[in-house]
Amino acid sequence: SILCWLRTGGFQGRVLGIDGKPIRDPNPIVYCFTTVQGQQQCVAAVRCQDDGRYTIQGLPPGYYTLEAARPGYEIDHYEGEFVHGGLGYPVVDFAIKRQQPGSISGIVRSEATMEALGNVQVCANPIPRQIQLPDGSTQEQLPEGTWPKCTRTRADGTYTIGDLPPWEYEVTADGSDIGYGVSAPRTVTVTAGSDTRVDFLLPAADGT
């Protein structure tokens, strides 16, 4: 009937890890997209409950696609279907898996002599992502973990910061403890299963 056609529809389901357990802190978000004048637009975004359940409601009749996302996990896509008020909410479940971590490594040397510098602190800090929600507000996202992640260079000047979720990071080298300066931040992108090389040349500390 015309009445059923005009009623709104929606989706429901659960987002779980590949082990079948809910993911928390933060809980995943399910995004709903539609195409308007050839451009894909996000029309709804809901955060899953602690048991992984979600419900998206109030969607005008139309064709929609879904994504389940959570920092540090691979995005799961649902190709979508047509919804309207004359149907029950389609059940769409997702199983998302953790992204394989990457690493950052390199060597720190003296800018003046090219000597390798040991005991320099090197830190990686994730750059927040701003996600715009359908209501116009923005949400800041960071990968899970305690930040920044730091290490110190070995005697030969080399370092490795491992177990980093795929993300964009700022990396700095601080030679204050050994009479050297602090580098300018370097922006790098860590991808799953890869090692990203970042080398530094440090000047002497001011006044030295």
Side-chain angles (χ1 to χ4, degrees), residues 38-105:
Q39 298 293 320
Q40 191 178 58
Q41 294 185 2
C42 180
V43 295
V46 296
R47 189 174 293 280
C48 296
Q49 301 175 29
D50 285 347
D51 64 356
R53 298 184 187 277
Y54 74 90
T55 301
I56 297 175
Q57 49 192 337
L59 298 177
Y63 187 86
Y64 299 92
T65 59
L66 303 177
E67 285 185 358
R70 197 265 198 192
Y73 284 72
E74 295 182 4
I75 296 174
D76 196 9
H77 303 271
Y78 176 68
E79 292 305 319
E81 61 185 89
F82 192 89
V83 302
H84 64 80
L87 298 174
Y89 285 9
V91 176
V92 180
D93 294 330
F94 295 93
I96 58 177
K97 66 178 181 179
R98 190 182 297 273
Q99 291 177 312
Q100 185 180 359
S103 61
I104 297 173
S105 65

Short mmCIF file of all heavy atoms in Angstrom, two decimals, residues 38-105:
data_model
loop_
_atom_site.label_atom_id
_atom_site.label_comp_id
_atom_site.label_asym_id
_atom_site.label_seq_id
_atom_site.Cartn_x
_atom_site.Cartn_y
_atom_site.Cartn_z
N GLY A 38 24.90 10.66 -7.62
CA GLY A 38 26.15 10.01 -7.99
C GLY A 38 27.21 10.01 -6.91
O GLY A 38 28.28 9.44 -7.11
N GLN A 39 26.92 10.62 -5.76
CA GLN A 39 27.88 10.68 -4.67
C GLN A 39 27.38 9.86 -3.48
O GLN A 39 26.22 9.96 -3.09
CB GLN A 39 28.10 12.14 -4.22
CG GLN A 39 28.68 13.04 -5.31
CD GLN A 39 30.08 12.66 -5.69
OE1 GLN A 39 30.91 12.31 -4.83
NE2 GLN A 39 30.38 12.73 -6.98
N GLN A 40 28.29 9.05 -2.89
CA GLN A 40 27.91 8.26 -1.72
C GLN A 40 27.91 9.15 -0.48
O GLN A 40 28.86 9.87 -0.22
CB GLN A 40 28.88 7.10 -1.52
CG GLN A 40 28.40 6.09 -0.49
CD GLN A 40 29.33 4.91 -0.34
OE1 GLN A 40 30.51 5.10 -0.04
NE2 GLN A 40 28.83 3.71 -0.53
N GLN A 41 26.81 9.10 0.26
CA GLN A 41 26.67 9.92 1.46
C GLN A 41 26.32 9.04 2.65
O GLN A 41 25.52 8.11 2.53
CB GLN A 41 25.58 10.98 1.28
CG GLN A 41 25.91 12.04 0.24
CD GLN A 41 24.87 13.13 0.18
OE1 GLN A 41 23.90 13.13 0.94
NE2 GLN A 41 25.05 14.08 -0.72
N CYS A 42 26.91 9.35 3.81
CA CYS A 42 26.58 8.66 5.04
C CYS A 42 25.32 9.28 5.62
O CYS A 42 25.27 10.48 5.87
CB CYS A 42 27.74 8.76 6.03
SG CYS A 42 27.42 7.93 7.60
N VAL A 43 24.29 8.46 5.83
CA VAL A 43 23.01 8.98 6.31
C VAL A 43 22.70 8.54 7.73
O VAL A 43 21.76 9.04 8.35
CB VAL A 43 21.86 8.55 5.38
CG1 VAL A 43 22.01 9.17 4.01
CG2 VAL A 43 21.79 7.02 5.26
N ALA A 44 23.48 7.61 8.26
CA ALA A 44 23.27 7.16 9.64
C ALA A 44 24.53 6.50 10.15
O ALA A 44 25.30 5.90 9.38
CB ALA A 44 22.09 6.19 9.73
N ALA A 45 24.76 6.61 11.45
CA ALA A 45 25.89 5.95 12.10
C ALA A 45 25.48 5.63 13.52
O ALA A 45 25.07 6.53 14.26
CB ALA A 45 27.13 6.83 12.07
N VAL A 46 25.59 4.36 13.91
CA VAL A 46 25.21 3.96 15.26
C VAL A 46 26.33 3.14 15.87
O VAL A 46 26.97 2.33 15.19
CB VAL A 46 23.89 3.16 15.28
CG1 VAL A 46 22.73 4.00 14.79
CG2 VAL A 46 24.02 1.88 14.45
N ARG A 47 26.57 3.36 17.17
CA ARG A 47 27.55 2.57 17.88
C ARG A 47 26.88 1.31 18.44
O ARG A 47 25.77 1.38 18.96
CB ARG A 47 28.18 3.37 19.02
CG ARG A 47 29.38 2.66 19.66
CD ARG A 47 30.07 3.54 20.68
NE ARG A 47 30.73 4.69 20.08
CZ ARG A 47 31.91 4.65 19.47
NH1 ARG A 47 32.56 3.49 19.35
NH2 ARG A 47 32.44 5.74 18.97
N CYS A 48 27.57 0.18 18.32
CA CYS A 48 27.01 -1.07 18.80
C CYS A 48 26.89 -1.08 20.32
O CYS A 48 27.66 -0.43 21.03
CB CYS A 48 27.89 -2.25 18.35
SG CYS A 48 27.99 -2.48 16.57
N GLN A 49 25.94 -1.84 20.82
CA GLN A 49 25.82 -2.06 22.25
C GLN A 49 26.93 -3.00 22.70
O GLN A 49 27.67 -3.57 21.89
CB GLN A 49 24.45 -2.65 22.57
CG GLN A 49 23.28 -1.77 22.14
CD GLN A 49 21.94 -2.44 22.36
OE1 GLN A 49 21.78 -3.26 23.26
NE2 GLN A 49 20.97 -2.11 21.53
N ASP A 50 27.03 -3.20 24.01
CA ASP A 50 28.12 -4.02 24.54
C ASP A 50 28.06 -5.47 24.06
O ASP A 50 29.08 -6.17 24.03
CB ASP A 50 28.13 -3.99 26.07
CG ASP A 50 28.68 -2.68 26.61
OD1 ASP A 50 29.28 -1.90 25.82
OD2 ASP A 50 28.52 -2.42 27.82
N ASP A 51 26.87 -5.95 23.69
CA ASP A 51 26.77 -7.32 23.19
C ASP A 51 26.91 -7.40 21.67
O ASP A 51 26.71 -8.45 21.07
CB ASP A 51 25.44 -7.95 23.62
CG ASP A 51 24.23 -7.25 23.02
OD1 ASP A 51 24.39 -6.21 22.32
OD2 ASP A 51 23.10 -7.73 23.25
N GLY A 52 27.25 -6.26 21.05
CA GLY A 52 27.48 -6.24 19.61
C GLY A 52 26.26 -5.89 18.78
O GLY A 52 26.37 -5.71 17.56
N ARG A 53 25.09 -5.77 19.40
CA ARG A 53 23.87 -5.49 18.64
C ARG A 53 23.79 -4.02 18.23
O ARG A 53 24.26 -3.14 18.93
CB ARG A 53 22.63 -5.86 19.46
CG ARG A 53 22.57 -7.35 19.81
CD ARG A 53 21.28 -7.69 20.56
NE ARG A 53 21.32 -9.06 21.02
CZ ARG A 53 21.01 -10.13 20.27
NH1 ARG A 53 20.64 -9.94 19.01
NH2 ARG A 53 21.10 -11.34 20.77
N TYR A 54 23.16 -3.81 17.08
CA TYR A 54 22.90 -2.44 16.61
C TYR A 54 21.54 -2.41 15.91
O TYR A 54 21.03 -3.42 15.42
CB TYR A 54 23.99 -1.99 15.63
CG TYR A 54 23.88 -2.62 14.26
CD1 TYR A 54 23.14 -2.03 13.24
CD2 TYR A 54 24.47 -3.86 13.98
CE1 TYR A 54 23.01 -2.63 12.00
CE2 TYR A 54 24.35 -4.46 12.75
CZ TYR A 54 23.62 -3.83 11.76
OH TYR A 54 23.47 -4.43 10.53
N THR A 55 20.95 -1.23 15.85
CA THR A 55 19.72 -1.00 15.10
C THR A 55 19.81 0.36 14.43
O THR A 55 20.12 1.36 15.08
CB THR A 55 18.48 -1.02 16.02
OG1 THR A 55 18.40 -2.29 16.69
CG2 THR A 55 17.20 -0.82 15.20
N ILE A 56 19.58 0.38 13.14
CA ILE A 56 19.49 1.63 12.38
C ILE A 56 18.03 1.77 11.95
O ILE A 56 17.49 0.88 11.30
CB ILE A 56 20.40 1.63 11.15
CG1 ILE A 56 21.87 1.51 11.58
CG2 ILE A 56 20.20 2.89 10.32
CD1 ILE A 56 22.84 1.38 10.43
N GLN A 57 17.41 2.86 12.33
CA GLN A 57 15.99 3.05 11.99
C GLN A 57 15.76 4.43 11.42
O GLN A 57 16.66 5.28 11.42
CB GLN A 57 15.13 2.82 13.23
CG GLN A 57 15.57 3.54 14.47
CD GLN A 57 14.85 3.04 15.71
OE1 GLN A 57 13.77 2.48 15.65
NE2 GLN A 57 15.46 3.23 16.86
N GLY A 58 14.54 4.64 10.91
CA GLY A 58 14.17 5.94 10.37
C GLY A 58 14.69 6.21 8.97
O GLY A 58 14.79 7.36 8.56
N LEU A 59 15.02 5.13 8.20
CA LEU A 59 15.53 5.32 6.85
C LEU A 59 14.38 5.45 5.86
O LEU A 59 13.51 4.58 5.80
CB LEU A 59 16.42 4.15 6.45
CG LEU A 59 17.69 3.90 7.28
CD1 LEU A 59 18.39 2.64 6.78
CD2 LEU A 59 18.62 5.09 7.23
N PRO A 60 14.36 6.51 5.06
CA PRO A 60 13.36 6.60 3.99
C PRO A 60 13.53 5.44 3.01
O PRO A 60 14.62 4.87 2.90
CB PRO A 60 13.67 7.93 3.32
CG PRO A 60 14.47 8.70 4.32
CD PRO A 60 15.25 7.68 5.10
N PRO A 61 12.47 5.05 2.30
CA PRO A 61 12.60 3.98 1.32
C PRO A 61 13.74 4.24 0.35
O PRO A 61 13.89 5.35 -0.17
CB PRO A 61 11.24 3.98 0.60
CG PRO A 61 10.30 4.55 1.62
CD PRO A 61 11.09 5.57 2.38
N GLY A 62 14.58 3.24 0.14
CA GLY A 62 15.72 3.42 -0.75
C GLY A 62 16.70 2.28 -0.63
O GLY A 62 16.49 1.33 0.13
N TYR A 63 17.77 2.38 -1.40
CA TYR A 63 18.81 1.34 -1.42
C TYR A 63 19.98 1.83 -0.58
O TYR A 63 20.48 2.95 -0.77
CB TYR A 63 19.26 1.06 -2.85
CG TYR A 63 20.20 -0.13 -2.96
CD1 TYR A 63 19.70 -1.43 -3.07
CD2 TYR A 63 21.58 0.05 -2.94
CE1 TYR A 63 20.55 -2.51 -3.15
CE2 TYR A 63 22.44 -1.03 -3.03
CZ TYR A 63 21.92 -2.31 -3.13
OH TYR A 63 22.77 -3.38 -3.22
N TYR A 64 20.46 0.99 0.32
CA TYR A 64 21.52 1.39 1.25
C TYR A 64 22.61 0.33 1.32
O TYR A 64 22.34 -0.87 1.16
CB TYR A 64 20.94 1.60 2.67
CG TYR A 64 19.90 2.68 2.74
CD1 TYR A 64 18.55 2.37 2.58
CD2 TYR A 64 20.25 4.01 2.97
CE1 TYR A 64 17.58 3.36 2.64
CE2 TYR A 64 19.29 5.00 3.04
CZ TYR A 64 17.96 4.68 2.87
OH TYR A 64 16.99 5.66 2.93
N THR A 65 23.84 0.80 1.58
CA THR A 65 24.95 -0.09 1.87
C THR A 65 25.43 0.19 3.29
O THR A 65 25.19 1.28 3.84
CB THR A 65 26.12 0.11 0.89
OG1 THR A 65 26.57 1.47 0.97
CG2 THR A 65 25.67 -0.18 -0.54
N LEU A 66 26.10 -0.80 3.89
CA LEU A 66 26.54 -0.68 5.28
C LEU A 66 28.03 -0.98 5.41
O LEU A 66 28.59 -1.74 4.62
CB LEU A 66 25.75 -1.65 6.18
CG LEU A 66 24.24 -1.54 6.21
CD1 LEU A 66 23.65 -2.63 7.11
CD2 LEU A 66 23.80 -0.17 6.69
N GLU A 67 28.63 -0.40 6.45
CA GLU A 67 30.01 -0.71 6.83
C GLU A 67 30.08 -0.81 8.34
O GLU A 67 29.47 -0.02 9.06
CB GLU A 67 30.97 0.39 6.39
CG GLU A 67 31.29 0.41 4.92
CD GLU A 67 32.34 1.46 4.59
OE1 GLU A 67 32.79 2.18 5.49
OE2 GLU A 67 32.71 1.54 3.40
N ALA A 68 30.83 -1.79 8.81
CA ALA A 68 31.13 -1.91 10.24
C ALA A 68 32.61 -1.60 10.42
O ALA A 68 33.46 -2.19 9.75
CB ALA A 68 30.82 -3.32 10.75
N ALA A 69 32.89 -0.66 11.32
CA ALA A 69 34.27 -0.20 11.47
C ALA A 69 34.61 -0.01 12.94
O ALA A 69 33.76 0.30 13.76
CB ALA A 69 34.49 1.11 10.71
N ARG A 70 35.90 -0.20 13.21
CA ARG A 70 36.41 0.01 14.56
C ARG A 70 37.91 0.19 14.44
O ARG A 70 38.58 -0.58 13.73
CB ARG A 70 36.08 -1.21 15.41
CG ARG A 70 36.18 -0.98 16.92
CD ARG A 70 37.52 -1.40 17.44
NE ARG A 70 37.49 -1.58 18.89
CZ ARG A 70 38.58 -1.72 19.62
NH1 ARG A 70 39.75 -1.70 19.03
NH2 ARG A 70 38.49 -1.88 20.93
N PRO A 71 38.51 1.24 15.06
CA PRO A 71 39.95 1.45 14.93
C PRO A 71 40.74 0.19 15.28
O PRO A 71 40.47 -0.47 16.29
CB PRO A 71 40.23 2.58 15.93
CG PRO A 71 38.95 3.34 16.01
CD PRO A 71 37.88 2.30 15.88
N GLY A 72 41.72 -0.13 14.43
CA GLY A 72 42.54 -1.31 14.66
C GLY A 72 41.99 -2.58 14.04
O GLY A 72 42.63 -3.63 14.12
N TYR A 73 40.82 -2.49 13.40
CA TYR A 73 40.19 -3.65 12.77
C TYR A 73 39.92 -3.33 11.30
O TYR A 73 39.76 -2.17 10.92
CB TYR A 73 38.86 -4.00 13.45
CG TYR A 73 39.03 -4.71 14.78
CD1 TYR A 73 39.47 -4.03 15.90
CD2 TYR A 73 38.73 -6.06 14.91
CE1 TYR A 73 39.63 -4.67 17.12
CE2 TYR A 73 38.87 -6.71 16.13
CZ TYR A 73 39.33 -6.01 17.22
OH TYR A 73 39.48 -6.65 18.43
N GLU A 74 39.86 -4.38 10.48
CA GLU A 74 39.52 -4.21 9.08
C GLU A 74 38.05 -3.87 8.94
O GLU A 74 37.21 -4.40 9.68
CB GLU A 74 39.85 -5.47 8.29
CG GLU A 74 41.34 -5.80 8.25
CD GLU A 74 41.64 -7.02 7.41
OE1 GLU A 74 40.70 -7.58 6.81
OE2 GLU A 74 42.82 -7.43 7.37
N ILE A 75 37.73 -3.00 8.01
CA ILE A 75 36.34 -2.62 7.75
C ILE A 75 35.63 -3.76 7.04
O ILE A 75 36.17 -4.36 6.11
CB ILE A 75 36.27 -1.34 6.91
CG1 ILE A 75 36.87 -0.15 7.69
CG2 ILE A 75 34.84 -1.02 6.51
CD1 ILE A 75 36.97 1.12 6.88
N ASP A 76 34.40 -4.07 7.49
CA ASP A 76 33.59 -5.09 6.82
C ASP A 76 32.45 -4.38 6.10
O ASP A 76 31.78 -3.51 6.67
CB ASP A 76 33.03 -6.08 7.85
CG ASP A 76 32.51 -7.36 7.20
OD1 ASP A 76 32.74 -7.53 5.98
OD2 ASP A 76 31.88 -8.17 7.89
N HIS A 77 32.25 -4.75 4.83
CA HIS A 77 31.25 -4.08 3.99
C HIS A 77 30.06 -5.02 3.75
O HIS A 77 30.21 -6.23 3.66
CB HIS A 77 31.85 -3.70 2.64
CG HIS A 77 33.06 -2.83 2.72
ND1 HIS A 77 32.99 -1.45 2.73
CD2 HIS A 77 34.39 -3.13 2.80
CE1 HIS A 77 34.20 -0.95 2.81
NE2 HIS A 77 35.07 -1.96 2.85
N TYR A 78 28.90 -4.40 3.61
CA TYR A 78 27.70 -5.12 3.17
C TYR A 78 27.17 -4.40 1.94
O TYR A 78 26.90 -3.19 1.98
CB TYR A 78 26.65 -5.15 4.28
CG TYR A 78 25.35 -5.80 3.87
CD1 TYR A 78 25.29 -7.16 3.61
CD2 TYR A 78 24.19 -5.05 3.73
CE1 TYR A 78 24.10 -7.77 3.22
CE2 TYR A 78 22.99 -5.65 3.35
CZ TYR A 78 22.95 -7.01 3.10
OH TYR A 78 21.78 -7.60 2.72
N GLU A 79 27.03 -5.12 0.84
CA GLU A 79 26.68 -4.49 -0.43
C GLU A 79 25.32 -3.82 -0.40
O GLU A 79 25.04 -2.93 -1.17
CB GLU A 79 26.75 -5.52 -1.56
CG GLU A 79 28.16 -5.99 -1.87
CD GLU A 79 29.11 -4.84 -2.18
OE1 GLU A 79 28.69 -3.90 -2.89
OE2 GLU A 79 30.24 -4.86 -1.69
N GLY A 80 24.46 -4.27 0.51
CA GLY A 80 23.22 -3.53 0.73
C GLY A 80 22.00 -4.10 0.05
O GLY A 80 22.06 -5.09 -0.68
N GLU A 81 20.88 -3.45 0.32
CA GLU A 81 19.61 -3.83 -0.28
C GLU A 81 18.61 -2.70 -0.12
O GLU A 81 18.87 -1.69 0.55
CB GLU A 81 19.07 -5.10 0.38
CG GLU A 81 18.79 -5.00 1.86
CD GLU A 81 18.36 -6.35 2.43
OE1 GLU A 81 19.25 -7.12 2.85
OE2 GLU A 81 17.15 -6.61 2.42
N PHE A 82 17.45 -2.89 -0.74
CA PHE A 82 16.39 -1.90 -0.69
C PHE A 82 15.56 -2.11 0.57
O PHE A 82 15.22 -3.24 0.92
CB PHE A 82 15.50 -2.03 -1.93
CG PHE A 82 14.56 -0.88 -2.11
CD1 PHE A 82 14.94 0.25 -2.82
CD2 PHE A 82 13.29 -0.91 -1.56
CE1 PHE A 82 14.07 1.31 -2.98
CE2 PHE A 82 12.41 0.14 -1.71
CZ PHE A 82 12.80 1.26 -2.44
N VAL A 83 15.27 -1.03 1.27
CA VAL A 83 14.43 -1.11 2.47
C VAL A 83 13.27 -0.15 2.35
O VAL A 83 13.37 0.90 1.73
CB VAL A 83 15.23 -0.81 3.76
CG1 VAL A 83 16.40 -1.76 3.92
CG2 VAL A 83 15.73 0.63 3.78
N HIS A 84 12.15 -0.53 2.98
CA HIS A 84 11.01 0.40 3.13
C HIS A 84 10.15 -0.11 4.27
O HIS A 84 10.36 -1.20 4.82
CB HIS A 84 10.22 0.55 1.83
CG HIS A 84 9.55 -0.70 1.36
ND1 HIS A 84 8.37 -1.17 1.87
CD2 HIS A 84 9.91 -1.59 0.39
CE1 HIS A 84 8.02 -2.28 1.24
NE2 HIS A 84 8.94 -2.57 0.35
N GLY A 85 9.18 0.69 4.66
CA GLY A 85 8.39 0.42 5.85
C GLY A 85 7.52 -0.80 5.77
O GLY A 85 7.03 -1.28 6.80
N GLY A 86 7.28 -1.33 4.58
CA GLY A 86 6.44 -2.50 4.47
C GLY A 86 7.15 -3.79 4.81
O GLY A 86 6.53 -4.86 4.83
N LEU A 87 8.45 -3.73 5.07
CA LEU A 87 9.25 -4.91 5.40
C LEU A 87 9.77 -4.81 6.82
O LEU A 87 9.96 -3.71 7.35
CB LEU A 87 10.44 -5.04 4.44
CG LEU A 87 10.13 -5.21 2.95
CD1 LEU A 87 11.42 -5.16 2.15
CD2 LEU A 87 9.40 -6.53 2.71
N GLY A 88 10.06 -5.96 7.42
CA GLY A 88 10.76 -5.93 8.68
C GLY A 88 12.20 -5.50 8.46
O GLY A 88 12.71 -5.50 7.34
N TYR A 89 12.89 -5.13 9.53
CA TYR A 89 14.27 -4.69 9.40
C TYR A 89 15.14 -5.88 8.98
O TYR A 89 15.18 -6.90 9.68
CB TYR A 89 14.79 -4.15 10.72
CG TYR A 89 14.28 -2.78 11.09
CD1 TYR A 89 13.25 -2.17 10.37
CD2 TYR A 89 14.81 -2.10 12.16
CE1 TYR A 89 12.79 -0.92 10.71
CE2 TYR A 89 14.35 -0.84 12.52
CZ TYR A 89 13.33 -0.25 11.80
OH TYR A 89 12.88 0.99 12.14
N PRO A 90 15.83 -5.79 7.84
CA PRO A 90 16.75 -6.87 7.46
C PRO A 90 17.83 -7.06 8.53
O PRO A 90 18.30 -6.09 9.14
CB PRO A 90 17.37 -6.38 6.15
CG PRO A 90 16.43 -5.33 5.64
CD PRO A 90 15.82 -4.71 6.85
N VAL A 91 18.21 -8.31 8.75
CA VAL A 91 19.27 -8.61 9.71
C VAL A 91 20.59 -8.72 8.96
O VAL A 91 20.75 -9.56 8.07
CB VAL A 91 18.97 -9.92 10.47
CG1 VAL A 91 20.14 -10.26 11.40
CG2 VAL A 91 17.67 -9.80 11.25
N VAL A 92 21.53 -7.86 9.33
CA VAL A 92 22.85 -7.85 8.70
C VAL A 92 23.90 -7.97 9.81
O VAL A 92 24.07 -7.05 10.62
CB VAL A 92 23.10 -6.56 7.89
CG1 VAL A 92 24.48 -6.60 7.25
CG2 VAL A 92 22.02 -6.39 6.84
N ASP A 93 24.57 -9.10 9.86
CA ASP A 93 25.61 -9.34 10.87
C ASP A 93 26.99 -9.14 10.25
O ASP A 93 27.20 -9.40 9.06
CB ASP A 93 25.50 -10.75 11.43
CG ASP A 93 24.22 -10.97 12.22
OD1 ASP A 93 23.70 -10.00 12.80
OD2 ASP A 93 23.74 -12.12 12.25
N PHE A 94 27.93 -8.70 11.07
CA PHE A 94 29.30 -8.49 10.62
C PHE A 94 30.26 -9.25 11.51
O PHE A 94 30.02 -9.42 12.71
CB PHE A 94 29.66 -6.99 10.69
CG PHE A 94 28.89 -6.11 9.74
CD1 PHE A 94 27.74 -5.48 10.16
CD2 PHE A 94 29.33 -5.92 8.44
CE1 PHE A 94 27.03 -4.65 9.31
CE2 PHE A 94 28.63 -5.09 7.58
CZ PHE A 94 27.47 -4.45 8.01
N ALA A 95 31.36 -9.70 10.93
CA ALA A 95 32.47 -10.29 11.69
C ALA A 95 33.74 -9.56 11.24
O ALA A 95 34.14 -9.68 10.07
CB ALA A 95 32.59 -11.78 11.44
N ILE A 96 34.31 -8.79 12.12
CA ILE A 96 35.49 -8.00 11.75
C ILE A 96 36.73 -8.58 12.44
O ILE A 96 36.65 -9.10 13.55
CB ILE A 96 35.31 -6.51 12.08
CG1 ILE A 96 35.03 -6.30 13.58
CG2 ILE A 96 34.19 -5.92 11.25
CD1 ILE A 96 34.91 -4.83 13.97
N LYS A 97 37.85 -8.48 11.77
CA LYS A 97 39.08 -9.04 12.33
C LYS A 97 40.12 -7.94 12.53
O LYS A 97 40.15 -6.94 11.81
CB LYS A 97 39.63 -10.14 11.44
CG LYS A 97 40.11 -9.70 10.07
CD LYS A 97 40.68 -10.89 9.30
CE LYS A 97 41.18 -10.48 7.93
NZ LYS A 97 41.75 -11.62 7.18
N ARG A 98 40.96 -8.18 13.52
CA ARG A 98 42.00 -7.21 13.85
C ARG A 98 42.99 -7.09 12.71
O ARG A 98 43.38 -8.09 12.09
CB ARG A 98 42.71 -7.66 15.13
CG ARG A 98 43.67 -6.60 15.70
CD ARG A 98 44.37 -7.15 16.93
NE ARG A 98 43.42 -7.45 17.99
CZ ARG A 98 43.01 -6.56 18.89
NH1 ARG A 98 43.45 -5.32 18.82
NH2 ARG A 98 42.16 -6.92 19.84
N GLN A 99 43.40 -5.86 12.41
CA GLN A 99 44.40 -5.65 11.39
C GLN A 99 45.76 -6.14 11.87
O GLN A 99 46.10 -5.99 13.05
CB GLN A 99 44.49 -4.16 11.03
CG GLN A 99 43.27 -3.62 10.30
CD GLN A 99 43.40 -2.13 10.04
OE1 GLN A 99 43.73 -1.38 10.94
NE2 GLN A 99 43.14 -1.72 8.82
N GLN A 100 46.53 -6.73 10.97
CA GLN A 100 47.88 -7.15 11.30
C GLN A 100 48.72 -5.91 11.60
O GLN A 100 48.72 -4.95 10.82
CB GLN A 100 48.49 -7.93 10.14
CG GLN A 100 49.86 -8.52 10.44
CD GLN A 100 50.40 -9.29 9.26
OE1 GLN A 100 49.77 -9.40 8.23
NE2 GLN A 100 51.61 -9.80 9.41
N PRO A 101 49.43 -5.88 12.73
CA PRO A 101 50.19 -4.68 13.07
C PRO A 101 51.39 -4.49 12.16
O PRO A 101 51.86 -5.42 11.50
CB PRO A 101 50.62 -4.94 14.52
CG PRO A 101 50.65 -6.43 14.63
CD PRO A 101 49.54 -6.93 13.75
N GLY A 102 51.91 -3.27 12.17
CA GLY A 102 53.13 -2.95 11.46
C GLY A 102 54.16 -2.42 12.43
O GLY A 102 54.01 -2.52 13.65
N SER A 103 55.22 -1.84 11.91
CA SER A 103 56.28 -1.32 12.76
C SER A 103 56.95 -0.13 12.10
O SER A 103 56.79 0.11 10.90
CB SER A 103 57.32 -2.41 13.06
OG SER A 103 57.93 -2.86 11.87
N ILE A 104 57.70 0.61 12.91
CA ILE A 104 58.54 1.71 12.43
C ILE A 104 59.95 1.45 12.93
O ILE A 104 60.15 1.12 14.11
CB ILE A 104 58.04 3.07 12.96
CG1 ILE A 104 56.63 3.38 12.44
CG2 ILE A 104 58.99 4.20 12.55
CD1 ILE A 104 56.00 4.61 13.07
N SER A 105 60.93 1.56 12.05
CA SER A 105 62.32 1.35 12.45
C SER A 105 63.22 2.29 11.68
O SER A 105 62.82 2.89 10.67
CB SER A 105 62.74 -0.11 12.23
OG SER A 105 62.72 -0.41 10.85
#
